[in-house]
Amino acid sequence: MQKIIKYWYSLNFMLCISFHVFAQDKSRFSFNDNWLFYEYDSTKGLIDTLNFGSWKPVQLPHDWSIYHDFSNKYPTTPNQGALPGGIGWYAKEFLLPSTYRNKYVSIDFDGIYRNSEVWVNGHYLGKRPNGYISFSYAISPYLNWNGQKNKIVVKVDNCKQPESRWYSGAGIYRNVWITVHNAIQIAHWGTFIEPKVEQTTTGIKTTITTSTTIENKLHKEGKILVKNIVYTNNGKQVSSSQSNIKLEANKSTTTTTINLNNPVLWSPENPSLYTMKTYIYDTNGMVVDSCSVDFGVRNIHFDRESGFYLNYKSVKIKGVCLHHDAGALGAVVNVRAIERQLQILKEMGCNAIRTSHNAPAPELLDLCDKMGFLVMDEVFDMWAKKKNKFDYHLDFPKWHVQDLQDQIRRDRNHPSVFMWSIGNEIREQFDSSGIRLTKELVTLTKQLDSSRPITSALTEMDTTKNFIYQAKELDVLGWNYNEKMYPDFLKKYPGQKFIASETVSALESRGHYDKPSDTTIFWPANSKEKYILNGNKDYTVSAYDNVAAYWGSSHEETWKIIQKYPFLSGTFVWTGFDYLGEPTPYPFPARSSYFGIVDLAGFPKDVYYMYQSEWSDKTVLHLLPHWNWEVGQIIDVWAYYNNADEVELYLNGKSLGVRKKQGDDLHVSWKVPYESGILKVVSRHDGKVVLIKEIKTAGAPSKIQLFADRKTINPDGKDLSYVSVQVVDKDGNIVPNADNEISFSITGTGSIAGTDNGCQADTTGLKRPIRKAFNGKCLVIIQSNNKQGSIQLKATSPHLNSGTITINSKK
Ligand code: GAL
């Protein structure tokens, strides 16, 4: 115990000196370091009797579930990723600089999964059941000063299961902050910037309405000056406003308008941002609080007949749904992990994300603002009616108003957020309470933001049976699946506007191909079957885009319909990436989803290139499958292509014919009797070669090759390098069915944050430094520590030449 206390003091010292004042009198610090964690699977014991000795140091953000091996025994079930829930305790001792003694200190949590309870120095601050919402507690009244340490304890209870339909993670899995204010302060999420864009004869005119809510802890009336200054993203001041206001004794809200002439408009292609800095001055001219908010200027509009418009231009929403996990990192928020996902999706031509079915990490929205993605920001997966026995429906009656309001307040300044969804496949569609609840949720949302349309993702297309529809409050109808009914939308739903809030639910394992490729099968086939029992023994699903869940459809089938009708404003494909949990169509050991266009490790499945050929302006030619089969087998060969009018296939130099996409075709194909060698495809436009792609028959596995997405990373303890691992033959051809087990060792200034291979039924824990290749590939995620230097990763496997790679960790 003595040792632990000594350890605390050294940590506390570090904590004090690392404090840094960022802007004027208001400061925000990361509070992620130096926590202890204790995983506890019963409810016995009180916080006062917890013995710190048995706790482990952890770095936040932290998800304890992901450290476990997959198993069928957890009450969470494979739907939640076959990883455990349980109870976790977090604690930290800290000192604050004495200069904060007369200030107002709060602790801000971006998200804790779930049922968090927080104590500071034994004072109970409160409980927050919702695992995705951000929240804040004022802690000043309970703090110790004069070198006396403070103790914060957080209990996280994810014990009662099942409570989710996908992997949630467990713990303080998002960032924690300390904010320090003066007595007169801008309220938490107290700034709302609402740019209004009008097209005039002289150009685009923008009026920015800013409302700032100011809290007055002095509790007496006074006078203040509020100044707003708008800067471009390279720091040039472009506009400002100021107003003297009478400060009420408790809370005041002031609204001002600022004009911006011919602003650079925000769009996915040009995600141009402005920054508004707000300063509050007291009567002595001293800045008492300030804040800085990024925003974008854009106009959105849905037209019933012609779909979605951004900045007065028609835009098809080419979106994907995402859950919040980061594959092998679990639910932990990591900026680079999110950025990598978005980069992969951007390359595909995706321009929109649906945050299914909960409040996203604030970092996701920041990145969508900067990288250019439209976001459908979704609030709930259930209201008062359950989907699982212990899910949020139990908390909905008490918490939905606050949770909804907090999400809207937090997210409403993001230009990326272009619409709100008040719920996904809500059971109250089928219950008359749906009318009342829809009205309530829409009213609450509009009170805080009337600038964005509101939808809800519906499944019941018969309006006489759908009570959410009958509330007649949704600005845009969100339809999930049922794509065959979309063409009749205008006729059947008079006066309504359309978005396909969720589509497809096709299933694929990367690099696995079952023939015939030209018939779509449904796994499971209908609602009576829970799983497919006569599927593949190795729990794979064909990657030819020829398998879907019975409520879904193939990618191609769906996109053909969406792209054809202008009034179909766009689609959100289920899903962009595979995610942990919901391993339809298989039972355990399957434990992650098959729905992704990209697998859990971040390797694109073939259908990624279908989207890329349709959604992006890149020139695409993609050939599938691999070229290692049994002699004489008839193989379906497919090519996705664009920017060309024909493609020709060659096997060992012999032409197998020219193909051209006909009508709405999205790929071309050949039936080829297999012989080993080189399969080559050439795309041509006006007879000129556009692209050539080749696949060679691979020999026996011979060596391991490593490729890093980034060879230099920041020494900040967070940054990541994603290293792709390939098993290749002696000539360097990837061996498409290689499943060699590979061990990883690391030296230098980094560690292994996780390993993965995209195989949905691999039961080796994702934190282990060992991984079988799946169809020739796997992945290692390297994380920097806080030191500059180099990181060496070595990959070894019996009978293979090992691979090594060096990553630099420097500023
Ligand atoms: C939808 C649901 C999603 C996911 C998907 C799988 O109905 O909204 O959350 O479960 O099915 O196909």
Side-chain angles (χ1 to χ4, degrees):
M1 198 58 189
Q2 250 339 64
K3 241 165 118 191
I4 298 273
I5 290 177
K6 250 169 103 188
Y7 172 72
W8 276 119
Y9 278 107
S10 62
L11 295 182
N12 290 331
F13 177 66
M14 279 161 29
L15 190 66
C16 281
I17 59 168
S18 68
F19 270 97
H20 170 70
V21 178
F22 286 116
Q24 300 292 328
D25 256 328
K26 175 165 174 170
S27 326
R28 194 187 192 215
F29 318 107
S30 167
F31 205 56
N32 288 336
D33 294 341
N34 304 327
W35 287 79
L36 290 182
F37 170 67
Y38 183 61
E39 193 173 346
Y40 192 71
D41 62 7
S42 82
T43 47
K44 62 175 183 276
L46 294 167
I47 49 160
D48 287 348
T49 62
L50 289 176
N51 170 12
F52 276 87
S54 55
W55 294 39
K56 277 192 277 179
V58 289
Q59 174 70 29
L60 303 186
H62 174 251
D63 167 11
W64 79 71
S65 293
I66 201 69
Y67 287 86
H68 291 266
D69 280 337
F70 296 103
S71 165
N72 205 9
K73 69 173 191 238
Y74 304 125
T76 49
T77 80
N79 269 337
Q80 285 165 260
L83 290 166
I87 293 183
W89 290 88
Y90 293 83
K92 159 166 171 150
E93 292 187 347
F94 61 100
L95 293 172
L96 289 178
S98 56
T99 44
Y100 295 155
R101 186 164 192 159
N102 298 320
K103 307 261 175 185
Y104 290 79
V105 181
S106 60
I107 181 156
D108 310 331
F109 295 95
D110 284 351
I112 302 180
Y113 206 89
R114 100 184 257 274
N115 288 314
S116 65
E117 288 174 274
V118 185
W119 293 259
V120 165
N121 296 330
H123 292 273
Y124 185 65
L125 298 177
K127 176 169 178 168
R128 213 53 204 245
N130 187 318
Y132 299 104
I133 209 75
S134 302
F135 57 96
S136 176
Y137 294 115
I139 58 173
S140 286
Y142 319 113
L143 291 174
N144 298 324
W145 301 101
N146 298 332
Q148 232 191 308
K149 63 192 180 194
N150 298 288
K151 182 154 86 182
I152 178 164
V153 176
V154 181
K155 180 186 177 196
V156 183
D157 185 346
N158 191 22
C159 211
K160 290 199 178 141
Q161 299 292 346
E163 58 80 54
S164 176
R165 300 191 299 111
W166 58 86
Y167 175 76
S168 59
I172 309 181
Y173 70 105
R174 289 183 181 163
N175 289 304
V176 184
W177 310 91
I178 288 280
T179 310
V180 184
H181 313 260
N182 284 319
I184 296 170
Q185 55 190 251
I186 299 168
H188 193 50
W189 305 320
T191 308
F192 180 30
I193 302 171
E194 230 186 324
K196 235 195 205 115
V197 181
E198 281 166 283
Q199 220 170 12
T200 66
T201 44
T202 53
I204 300 273
K205 193 176 155 237
T206 301
T207 320
I208 300 166
T209 309
T210 307
S211 69
T212 312
T213 303
I214 298 148
E215 279 173 5
N216 177 4
K217 306 276 181 194
L218 295 174
H219 302 301
K220 52 178 192 216
E221 290 181 0
K223 280 193 182 142
I224 51 167
L225 172 71
V226 181
K227 215 181 211 178
N228 291 307
I229 308 178
V230 178
Y231 298 91
T232 61
N233 55 7
N234 47 23
K236 192 172 152 230
Q237 181 176 330
V238 280
S239 200
S240 67
S241 76
Q242 65 179 60
S243 49
N244 287 300
I245 66 158
K246 180 174 158 229
L247 187 65
E248 307 290 336
N250 293 311
K251 199 183 250 186
S252 321
T253 297
T254 164
T255 303
T256 57
T257 54
I258 300 182
N259 290 324
L260 214 54
N261 284 327
N262 292 319
V264 183
L265 298 183
W266 183 96
S267 68
E269 299 74 39
N270 182 22
S272 175
L273 296 176
Y274 290 88
T275 301
M276 178 170 299
K277 292 201 172 147
T278 303
Y279 298 94
I280 311 285
Y281 294 85
D282 65 11
T283 40
N284 301 321
M286 297 291 290
V287 174
V288 290
D289 203 2
S290 65
C291 77
S292 171
V293 177
D294 289 344
F295 69 98
V297 178
R298 80 261 174 301
N299 177 280
I300 51 181
H301 169 68
F302 278 88
D303 181 86
R304 171 171 153 74
E305 311 267 334
S306 54
F308 177 66
Y309 287 79
L310 179 68
N311 302 331
Y312 306 100
K313 279 192 219 121
S314 160
V315 171
K316 197 63 128 182
I317 296 160
K318 299 163 183 166
V320 298
C321 304
L322 287 183
H323 272 316
H324 67 304
D325 75 63
L329 304 181
V332 157
V333 162
N334 179 291
V335 171
R336 173 58 200 153
I338 304 172
E339 183 188 55
R340 172 184 179 249
Q341 283 201 332
L342 294 177
Q343 281 170 344
I344 292 170
L345 292 171
K346 189 100 192 163
E347 280 280 294
M348 184 175 91
C350 169
N351 64 11
I353 306 290
R354 171 178 179 229
T355 68
S356 35
H357 308 294
N358 44 261
E363 291 79 2
L364 174 89
L365 298 182
D366 290 342
L367 284 164
C368 287
D369 289 348
K370 284 185 197 136
M371 295 172 70
F373 285 90
L374 297 159
V375 175
M376 178 191 282
D377 197 346
E378 191 154 74
V379 187
F380 298 121
D381 191 45
M382 75 290 298
W383 296 346
K385 291 195 170 289
K386 68 169 179 246
K387 291 188 177 172
N388 271 299
K389 190 165 176 200
F390 295 108
D391 66 26
Y392 180 79
H393 81 282
L394 297 171
D395 307 305
F396 183 87
K398 180 163 173 215
W399 285 98
H400 70 278
V401 175
Q402 183 159 359
D403 287 339
L404 173 82
Q405 288 177 331
D406 284 352
Q407 185 166 343
I408 309 285
R409 276 202 189 96
R410 191 197 66 171
D411 295 350
R412 62 189 172 167
N413 289 322
H414 288 277
S416 57
V417 175
F418 79 119
M419 63 192 306
W420 305 110
S421 162
I422 54 171
N424 172 58
E425 301 190 351
I426 296 296
R427 298 283 190 251
E428 280 84 347
Q429 282 175 102
F430 312 104
D431 186 282
S432 58
S433 65
I435 297 185
R436 174 180 54 80
L437 284 171
T438 306
K439 288 190 171 165
E440 184 195 350
L441 297 176
V442 169
T443 305
L444 286 166
T445 307
K446 296 259 173 201
Q447 277 164 359
L448 292 173
D449 175 23
S450 58
S451 72
R452 292 172 174 89
I454 300 175
T455 191
S456 179
L458 307 174
T459 44
E460 178 52 72
M461 308 261 160
D462 180 345
T463 52
T464 61
K465 293 189 187 145
N466 188 328
F467 292 95
I468 294 183
Y469 176 91
Q470 284 175 27
K472 302 227 175 306
E473 291 288 339
L474 301 179
D475 299 309
V476 180
L477 285 188
W479 284 141
N480 284 10
Y481 306 97
N482 295 296
E483 72 291 339
K484 297 217 165 60
M485 295 179 69
Y486 297 167
D488 292 332
F489 182 84
L490 289 182
K491 233 187 312 154
K492 283 212 167 141
Y493 305 95
Q496 302 296 324
K497 296 168 188 166
F498 175 95
I499 187 149
S501 34
E502 190 176 313
T503 54
V504 181
S505 275
L507 307 164
E508 283 109 16
S509 298
R510 173 188 49 80
H512 178 88
Y513 306 92
D514 292 328
K515 292 157 284 294
S517 63
D518 47 12
T519 14
T520 301
I521 53 169
F522 294 103
W523 277 1
N526 54 56
S527 59
K528 288 189 197 84
E529 285 176 24
K530 202 166 168 202
Y531 306 118
I532 176 80
L533 296 171
N534 55 349
N536 296 333
K537 295 253 169 332
D538 60 357
Y539 299 92
T540 52
V541 178
S542 173
Y544 274 120
D545 188 15
N546 58 344
V547 186
Y550 68 84
W551 55 91
S553 50
S554 72
H555 292 275
E556 290 198 8
E557 230 178 314
T558 316
W559 177 240
K560 281 179 188 177
I561 295 173
I562 300 281
Q563 58 136 9
K564 186 166 169 191
Y565 300 95
F567 63 87
L568 301 178
S569 58
T571 178
F572 287 94
V573 178
W574 190 265
T575 44
F577 276 69
D578 280 342
Y579 51 93
L580 288 162
E582 213 176 23
T584 305
Y586 288 115
F588 192 79
R591 46 63 175 173
S592 53
S593 88
Y594 294 74
F595 297 114
I597 299 168
V598 180
D599 78 13
L600 196 69
F603 300 128
K605 301 176 187 176
D606 294 290
V607 78
Y608 177 93
Y609 301 96
M610 184 282 280
Y611 285 113
Q612 195 176 48
S613 70
E614 286 287 300
W615 286 7
S616 82
D617 49 17
K618 292 200 165 42
T619 300
V620 175
L621 176 61
H622 179 77
L623 183 62
L624 65 146
H626 58 75
W627 208 238
N628 275 56
W629 301 94
E630 301 286 320
V631 175
Q633 265 183 293
I634 304 293
I635 307 302
D636 292 356
V637 174
W638 286 30
Y640 296 121
Y641 71 93
N642 64 7
N643 300 344
D645 34 47
E646 61 173 41
V647 286
E648 186 164 7
L649 186 72
Y650 301 84
L651 178 58
N652 295 326
K654 253 187 290 145
S655 171
L656 300 179
V658 170
R659 298 281 188 275
K660 296 174 189 213
K661 288 193 265 194
Q662 308 290 331
D664 61 359
D665 284 352
L666 296 170
H667 73 269
V668 290
S669 65
W670 298 258
K671 288 211 178 286
V672 182
Y674 176 74
E675 75 183 43
S676 66
I678 302 177
L679 191 68
K680 179 170 97 170
V681 68
V682 180
S683 62
R684 297 190 196 94
H685 182 66
D686 283 344
K688 284 205 195 89
V689 172
V690 177
L691 284 176
I692 300 178
K693 285 283 156 77
E694 274 185 6
I695 305 179
K696 289 184 189 154
T697 303
S702 163
K703 51 188 176 192
I704 304 171
Q705 282 182 345
L706 305 178
F707 303 95
D709 69 339
R710 288 159 73 237
K711 289 197 95 173
T712 302
I713 56 177
N714 277 320
D716 60 1
K718 300 182 199 120
D719 205 4
L720 305 171
S721 178
Y722 282 82
V723 179
S724 305
V725 181
Q726 295 189 349
V727 177
V728 297
D729 68 8
K730 65 177 180 19
D731 301 319
N733 299 305
I734 180 157
V735 183
N737 49 7
D739 60 358
N740 307 62
E741 186 169 89
I742 303 176
S743 302
F744 300 99
S745 58
I746 193 160
T747 53
T749 55
S751 60
I752 293 175
T755 61
D756 194 2
N757 56 16
C759 170
Q760 290 97 345
D762 183 329
T763 52
T764 304
L766 293 168
K767 288 283 176 186
R768 294 193 182 269
I770 188 162
R771 185 70 40 199
K772 275 181 138 191
F774 175 62
N775 293 330
K777 287 188 188 180
C778 61
L779 175 85
V780 185
I781 308 170
I782 292 179
Q783 186 155 22
S784 65
N785 61 24
N786 289 307
K787 296 201 186 90
Q788 302 218 45
S790 72
I791 305 166
Q792 293 79 34
L793 177 75
K794 185 164 185 191
T796 56
S797 180
H799 319 300
L800 296 182
N801 290 334
S802 40
T804 54
I805 196 163
T806 299
I807 310 295
N808 294 312
S809 180
K810 65 170 190 219
K811 285 208 169 87

